[in-house]
Structure formats: structure tokens, C-alpha cells
Amino acid sequence: MILAATTDESLARMSDVLIYSSMAVYTLAFFAHIAEWVFGSRSKVGRTAAALTPRAGQAPAAAVTVRGKQAGSTAVLDRPKVVTRSAVGTRDVPDGPGAAGGTVKGDLYGRIAVSLTVLAFLVEASGVITRALSVQRAPWGNMYEFSTTFSTVAVGAYLGFLLAKKNVRWIGLPLVTTVLLDLGMAVTWLKTPSDQLVPALDSYWLWIHVSTAIFCGAVFYLGAVATLLYLFRDSYENKLATGGNPGAFARSVLERLPAAASLDKFSYRVNAAVFPLWTFTIIAGAIWAGDAWGRYWGWDAKEVWSFITWVGYAAYLHARATAGWKGRKAAYIALVAFACFLFNYYGVNIFVSSKHSYAGV
């Protein structure tokens, strides 16, 4: 017994070391992402993309880029790349060149940032697994464990999109920044010694219910980032379309993001894809509550805010299907729904006494 306890303590200390190590690597990734955006701001590609965006009173334009290669004395032309713009008002705007801005140096720092993010993800995941081994249960029995697992899953989802060749590298900087804040709060204010759960909650439903909640929250987070950036990019495109002159910083950053339509589509797709799983999360929680407390639904604070979050995302999906509520109005609803998820995560656990306050914070 003494040997087992010593082993568990050693694993717990190793988990802490791995979490702190992942924070150090995430910090390096953060600076690499900053370098990507800084060197990408010098990109001629980005400035050209902004110049091609139609403004009020301008006719639709078409840009044809022809690159020539000299083969002996004969010029061989590559297939031309044609970028067309539709009439003003339809907002057929191309995606920006990305954080790297089309520059070699910016792309280099971007690849370094992604590589460091992968390394930090592996180290943090190892810390989460080690924590699970030290407590011999699912590693999300309190807010500290939930936070470390949540950030791991969020980064894993982002890397999964990259692996699937999706254009999501623009999420890298806000994601790494948020992960550092999340882990900083976890190790500073939410740190709880590893311990066992009360017998009523030591159930296989912990693996099912909480794991799906963490995954849903991670994907909802990516959708919220895309939604917020959509609002900024949409305002930027509106200003260009009405003949406005955005500032140099706005041009440098926003012109490199995907078009507002692309951001809107991405946020809608991820939110719509994970919404059925959030529905399952609530149902699974109700079944677990029936096993643990003898009732499926008791209007506990956590249950209420989980349902409010569900209503928020259901309203968002309904708004997307309603012609008058597409675009910015639907985006505001999505952000309110995610704010409800965050309050359910932090506010309920910290400020509200409920049956879910079973392991400190």
C-alpha cells in the first residue's frame, strides 16, 4: 500500500512537470506565431489581395497572373491564375493569403509554430495521461483536470483540421494564447491535489458524459473564434465596399484572414456538427444523475446552464435557417451561446453551489 501511494505521488508530480513543460513549449509557439504575423505583414500578396477587393463605385475587376519560364529561347507560360470579383454588394471576396502573407520567412515561422504546437500538445497529453494513472480514474474529476484536458482536446481538434488539409492556420495564434491563459489559471487558481471521487460518482458515465462535454466545448471554442473573427472581417469588408479606408493595422491583419463568408461557413459547420453530440452529453448526464442521485433531472445549476447552452446553439442553428437572421445576427447568437458554455464551466463551478461541486474546484 505504501509503495502504491508513493508511486501515485510520483506520477502526480510527473504530471505537474509535464503540464508546466507544455506551457513553456506553448510559449515558444506563441512567439513563433507572432513572428509569422509580423513577417507576413510585409507581404505584397496581402496588399494586392486588399487592392483587388472592389470598393463602392468601382466596376468588377479581374486579375490575371501569368508567370513565365524561359526554356532556351522560347518562353513557356504557366496556366494563368484568374481571380474574379462579382458586382458590388454580392461580396464575392477571396480568402486572404494567411498569417504568413505569402512570404517565405513568414511561412517558415508559421511551420515552426505548428511544430512547437504539436510538441506542446504531445507533452500536455502525456501530463493528462500521467494524471489519470496517478488517480486511477478519468483525469477530469475537478476543474484543474478538466482545464488541462480541455486545452489538450482543443489543440488536438485544431491539429486534426490541419492534418485534414483545412485552411485553419489562422486559428493558431488565438488558440495558443487561450491555451496559455487556460493553463495559467489552472495551475495558479484551480490546482487541486489528486484525489478519488465520491463513490456515487465513480462510474463509467464519468468517461462518457464528461469526455463528450470536453470535446463539445473544445469544438465550440474553435467555432467561437471563427465567429468573432468573422465579425471583424465582415466589418472590414463592409468598410472597403462603402469606400472606407481602414487603418494600416486592420489592413495588415484582417486582409490576411479568410473571407467573411469562409469564416462564417467554418463556424456554422463546426457548431452544427457538434450540436447533436452536445445533445447526447445532456442526455448522458441525465442518465448518470439517475444512477448517482436517483433522479434524472433536478434543475441543478449545472443542468440548467447546460440546457441554456443547448437552447442557445439551437437558436443559432434556427437563425441560420431563417433568411432575416443569417450573418451577423446569427453570429451574435453563437457568441452568446458560447458565453453560456463558459459560465457553465467557470461561473457555476466557482460561484454557485450545486451537486456538481463534488471535488472542490
Side-chain angles (χ1 to χ4, degrees):
M1 293 293 293
I2 296 177
L3 179 60
T6 303
T7 302
D8 291 345
E9 291 176 2
S10 299
L11 288 173
R13 286 195 296 269
M14 184 183 298
S15 174
D16 293 342
V17 170
L18 288 170
I19 294 299
Y20 280 108
S21 299
S22 71
M23 293 177 66
V25 182
Y26 278 128
T27 302
L28 295 177
F30 170 80
F31 286 117
H33 277 297
I34 291 291
E36 178 187 19
W37 280 93
V38 168
F39 287 107
S41 67
R42 304 173 183 177
S43 170
K44 294 181 180 179
V45 177
R47 290 193 294 271
T48 303
L52 289 172
T53 305
R55 303 188 182 213
Q58 291 181 342
V64 181
T65 302
V66 180
R67 295 185 292 113
K69 292 187 298 186
Q70 196 73 19
S73 59
T74 305
V76 180
L77 296 180
D78 293 339
R79 182 185 298 275
K81 296 181 179 180
V82 180
V83 180
T84 60
R85 303 290 183 272
S86 59
V88 175
T90 59
R91 297 282 297 280
D92 185 11
V93 179
D95 291 337
T103 63
V104 175
K105 185 173 288 188
D107 184 66
L108 173 63
Y109 280 103
R111 292 178 183 275
I112 292 174
V114 171
S115 299
L116 288 171
T117 303
V118 172
L119 178 59
F121 164 76
L122 294 175
V123 174
E124 186 183 10
S126 299
V128 172
I129 294 172
T130 305
R131 176 82 173 195
L133 294 175
S134 71
V135 295
Q136 299 179 14
R137 58 166 171 77
W140 40 75
N142 50 59
M143 283 192 69
Y144 169 76
E145 296 174 355
F146 192 99
S147 296
T148 54
T149 306
F150 176 83
S151 58
T152 303
V153 175
V155 175
Y158 164 70
L159 296 177
F161 280 116
L162 286 179
L163 194 62
K165 306 297 184 183
K166 301 299 182 181
N167 177 25
V168 295
R169 210 162 85 179
W170 43 270
I171 296 181
L173 180 57
L175 173 64
V176 171
T177 304
T178 307
V179 166
L180 283 172
L181 292 173
D182 176 67
L183 292 178
M185 291 179 60
V187 301
T188 303
W189 294 303
L190 305 178
K191 187 68 181 294
T192 304
S194 57
D195 198 1
Q196 297 301 318
L197 297 176
V198 296
L201 298 177
D202 190 9
S203 167
Y204 62 89
W205 282 107
L206 178 67
W207 293 90
I208 299 173
H209 170 64
V210 184
S211 64
T212 54
I214 292 173
F215 179 79
C216 289
V219 178
F220 281 149
Y221 163 77
L222 297 180
V225 172
T227 301
L228 189 62
L229 293 178
Y230 156 75
L231 292 174
F232 285 113
R233 173 76 189 204
D234 185 63
S235 296
Y236 175 77
E237 292 179 6
N238 280 334
K239 195 166 188 177
L240 289 177
T242 56
N245 186 27
F249 180 78
R251 283 185 176 277
S252 175
V253 175
L254 296 177
E255 73 185 8
R256 285 180 280 161
L257 291 175
S262 298
L263 292 168
D264 185 46
K265 184 184 297 183
F266 175 81
S267 61
Y268 168 68
R269 286 180 175 177
V270 297
N271 287 330
V274 82
F275 179 74
L277 191 59
W278 181 250
T279 305
F280 169 78
T281 300
I282 296 176
I283 295 173
I287 297 174
W288 187 15
D291 290 343
W293 300 320
R295 92 289 188 278
Y296 294 102
W297 193 268
W299 297 104
D300 181 71
K302 182 72 71 171
E303 297 168 345
V304 169
W305 279 96
S306 295
F307 179 68
I308 291 174
T309 302
W310 184 90
V311 172
Y313 279 104
Y316 164 72
L317 296 177
H318 178 72
R320 290 283 310 203
T322 305
W325 280 85
K326 289 183 179 179
R328 299 182 68 87
K329 292 181 180 179
Y332 292 138
I333 297 175
L335 291 180
V336 169
F338 185 69
C340 292
F341 174 86
L342 287 181
F343 181 80
N344 189 32
Y345 174 31
Y346 287 107
V348 172
N349 285 42
I350 296 175
F351 302 112
V352 181
S353 177
S354 71
K355 281 184 171 292
H356 287 76
S357 303
Y358 48 79
V361 293

